[in-house]
């Protein structure tokens, strides 16, 4: 087949995307001066493009498959195949939000108070649709950046993307509404996805990326436990499925292997130790395939 043309988001999502691909088994090398990274898969060629433009280029067939935000698919009204949601952002593995924000001392309390006001945002289409839905007429201007510093002197309110809200708070802004919660999406060009060979490659890529995300918050845990304490140990751990239990040379002991949420491990290891578990080993996971 001809090479699969893969669009990778340049900018804030770039590093977290490369990290995800590495966990999925792909090594991507980016030159500081090139928009065409190298990848250790002879069937794929990569291109770095801003997430805001990715859906449009995918719809037009410049790209076969790409990663971009659900928000930018909606903003561009792009006609693409949405393969799967990959919940990660620039600083973590969680959705991002487009919010309506105003200065802390503003009299604006809700979207209805924006009638006749001026709003700055990078997502003009999303904002206009939101205002229309709420029966409000306001002036929406495109923001080229530094949107948080524009109120109150340049605009009355902003619609901005945020993960934690810390940047908004640092600029003395408060959120009055959440317009959209967005995740990163794996999308495909309709013609490319209709091609049997390309579709197979895209589905394989989706499987590997999804399994890497599944493993992000999980770890493996193995230990040796006495048979007499097995039921108590099983009550403490919560596995994706039943843990793997194997006999040891000593007939009184068993080897137990399970998968568990990483955040729970620090709480249960002391309990396991109290129950006499030995040789407790926690290990990282790259992929979990359901």
């Amino acid at each position: 087949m001809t090479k699969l043309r893969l669009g990778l988001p340049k900018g804030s999502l770039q590093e977290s995307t490369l990290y995800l691909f590495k966990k999925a088994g792909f090594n991507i090398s980016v030159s500081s001066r090139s928009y065409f990274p190298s990848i250790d898969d002879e069937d794929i060629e990569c291109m770095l493009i801003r997430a805001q433009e990715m859906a449009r280029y995918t719809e037009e067939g410049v790209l076969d498959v790409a990663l971009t935000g659900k928000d930018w698919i909606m903003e561009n009204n792009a006609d693409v195949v949405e393969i799967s949601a990959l919940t990660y952002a620039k600083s973590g593995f969680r959705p991002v939000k487009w919010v309506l924000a105003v200065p802390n001392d503003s009299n604006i309390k809700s979207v209805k108070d924006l009638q006749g006001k001026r709003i700055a945002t990078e997502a003009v289409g999303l904002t206009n649709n939101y205002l229309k839905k709420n029966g409000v007429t306001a002036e929406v201007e495109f923001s080229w950046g530094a949107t948080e510093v524009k109120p109150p002197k340049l605009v009355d309110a902003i619609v901005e993307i945020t993960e934690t809200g810390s940047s908004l708070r640092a600029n003395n802004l408060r959120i009055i509404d959440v317009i959209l919660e967005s995740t990163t999406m794996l999308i495909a060009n309709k013609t490319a996805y209709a091609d049997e060979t390309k579709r197979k490659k895209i589905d394989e890529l989706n499987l590997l990326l999804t399994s890497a995300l599944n493993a992000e918050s999980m770890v493996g845990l193995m230990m040796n436990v006495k048979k007499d304490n097995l039921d108590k140990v099983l009550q403490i751990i919560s596995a994706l499925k039943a843990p793997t239990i194997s006999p040891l040379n000593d007939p009184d002991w068993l080897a137990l292997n399970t998968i568990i949420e990483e955040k729970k491990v620090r709480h249960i290891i002391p309990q396991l130790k109290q129950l006499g578990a030995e040789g407790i080993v926690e290990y990282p996971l790259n992929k979990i395939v359901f």
Side-chain angles (χ1 to χ4, degrees), residues 17 20-21 24 26 67 86 186 204-214:
T17 300
L20 176 60
F21 269 81
F26 298 93
L67 293 93
L86 303 171
L186 182 68
E204 289 174 355
L205 180 64
N206 177 50
L207 174 66
L208 293 169
L209 292 174
T210 302
S211 64
L213 274 179
N214 290 339

Side-chain angles (χ1 to χ4, degrees), residues 55-115:
R56 177 167 57 88
Y57 285 126
T58 303
E59 178 183 9
E60 294 172 356
V62 177
L63 300 168
D64 295 317
V65 62
L67 293 93
T68 189
K70 176 70 173 178
D71 46 358
W72 297 118
I73 300 171
M74 296 173 64
E75 175 72 8
N76 288 280
N77 195 26
D79 186 17
V80 295
V81 182
E82 297 183 12
I83 308 296
S84 66
L86 303 171
T87 306
Y88 74 98
K90 65 180 180 180
S91 61
F93 289 79
R94 58 191 169 202
V96 296
K97 296 176 181 178
W98 282 94
V99 299
L100 175 64
V102 297
N104 285 328
D105 58 0
S106 172
N107 292 324
I108 297 172
K109 305 298 182 184
S110 74
V111 60
K112 300 297 184 182
D113 298 327
L114 290 172
Q115 183 68 34

